[in-house]
Amino acid sequence: MKKVFLLLLLGPSLTVCAQKSWQYKIKGNVGTGHDSSKVVMQFPEDGKLVEDSAMIQNGMFELKGNRSEPIKVFLALTSKSKDANKRAAVEVINLYLEPGVITVTSVNNSFRAAEIKGGPVNKDYTVLSRLIKPQTDQLRQLMKDYAALSDADKKDPAVKASRDSALGKIRAAKNEQLKDYIIKNPRSLVSLDALIEYAGGALDYSTIHPMFEALSANVRKGKAAKTFAGRLEIARKTGIGQIAPDFAQADTSGTMIRLSSFRGKYVLLDFWASWCVPCRAENPHVVKAFQQYKDKGFTVLGVSLDKPDARDRWLKAIADDQLTWTQVSDLKFWNNEAAKLYGIQAIPQNYLIGPDGKVVAQNLRGDALHQQLKALLDK
């Protein structure tokens, strides 16, 4: 089972305060026609990927183990294809490990539509899952329709704009459901995961911190809650009006460059990578802004989250996209030291920093960047 399945998790894992060890057992019925298949369970914990699996026998599987905290996990059912040229079919679900027996029963032979029964945490998760099901179904259909398009259609700007617009509306509707659930269920362990998903990769401290503090003390005691609290603290330190944390990294020639060396100018601190498709799509907007305002006290400092073996791809992307401003990277991928300092968990992400070193704005995209620079520099 490829580790890529982990990306389908709906956010970081959920845990609560340490307790005595207890046993969980997952008993599953996947329906007919799956006896050559297996179910794989994955979840991240303490910086590692934990994995377990069970073969299907007579349509049934069982997974069991011991824990001291509930946690959300990912289950994938892989059905081997009789055609060697076709990928194995994969159906995925999420559930929570909690004390006792958790049953997973396929509906109409569909593992994706399985009914999950267990303790109070899984009951809460079932309620939330039903609330967001319309958006989940819409998102799945949107991705399916897009995947069926020809390569030429996928590159069509009008098609992309239509998809992005639809995606934005679906996410906005889903976020409203998540927010409503969080507010109404502050004592539910599921609300923490809902808040983590609602917050997204770029935390808005002023919005998310009050919602986190409104969760019950018990919900905020677990390891995942403490990790999220750490992200919130980074968001506070890098928020609008704060002095942008300083750092130094090597540019393309190996010279160490400090963020603070740009004091006196407006600088866009731009986190990106050569492998990041949305980043590359955003680069033309940044190029346009740079060309228009570089002689008016504006510049850009690009920080790449490229991999250790991708220096050539990083340099090629700089040349191909005509990024003529300063570029730095330690080539540590997601462990980039500057990215960790700013709590970066998704790219593209940027910070507009003023001449005094304070953050002026965050995550300016497309026209928003031009409008902000126009207000600041076209006087």
Side-chain angles (χ1 to χ4, degrees), residues 309-323:
D309 61 350
R311 177 178 171 80
D312 289 345
R313 288 192 289 274
W314 172 43
L315 298 178
K316 184 177 186 301
I318 292 172
D320 289 348
D321 293 1
Q322 301 179 47
L323 312 182

Side-chain angles (χ1 to χ4, degrees), residues 330-349:
D330 57 14
L331 298 175
K332 292 183 179 180
F333 199 32
W334 288 107
N335 286 318
N336 181 288
E337 295 299 330
K340 291 195 295 183
L341 182 65
Y342 280 77
I344 302 299
Q345 296 201 347
I347 51 176
Q349 194 165 334

Side-chain angles (χ1 to χ4, degrees), residues 7 47 67 95 181 316 375:
L7 298 177
R67 289 195 56 79
L95 56 78
Y181 182 89
K316 184 177 186 301

Side-chain angles (χ1 to χ4, degrees), residues 231-296:
R231 288 183 60 199
L232 280 169
E233 179 59 15
I234 292 175
R236 184 189 68 79
K237 292 180 179 178
T238 58
I240 294 174
Q242 300 295 316
I243 295 292
D246 197 18
F247 65 89
Q249 286 194 9
D251 66 9
T252 56
S253 66
T255 302
M256 296 301 291
I257 304 295
R258 298 202 71 86
L259 172 62
S260 57
S261 68
F262 293 89
R263 290 284 177 87
K265 290 186 176 183
Y266 283 97
V267 55
L268 186 73
L269 177 60
D270 186 30
F271 291 93
W272 73 293
S274 67
W275 48 262
C276 170
V277 174
C279 302
R280 304 293 294 275
E282 184 63 25
N283 278 343
H285 296 290
V286 183
V287 169
K288 181 179 177 181
F290 179 72
Q291 292 297 332
Q292 185 171 349
Y293 291 102
K294 65 179 181 179
D295 296 326
K296 295 184 178 182

Side-chain angles (χ1 to χ4, degrees), residues 6 9 12-16 18 42-51 66-72 221-227 335:
L6 183 59
L9 281 164
S13 61
L14 174 66
T15 56
V16 293
Q42 294 181 337
F43 58 92
E45 189 167 51
D46 299 328
K48 298 179 180 179
L49 179 66
V50 181
E51 182 175 298
N66 294 292
R67 289 195 56 79
S68 59
E69 299 181 341
I71 191 168
K72 188 170 74 173
K221 285 181 180 178
K223 288 190 292 185
K226 291 177 180 177
T227 297
N335 286 318

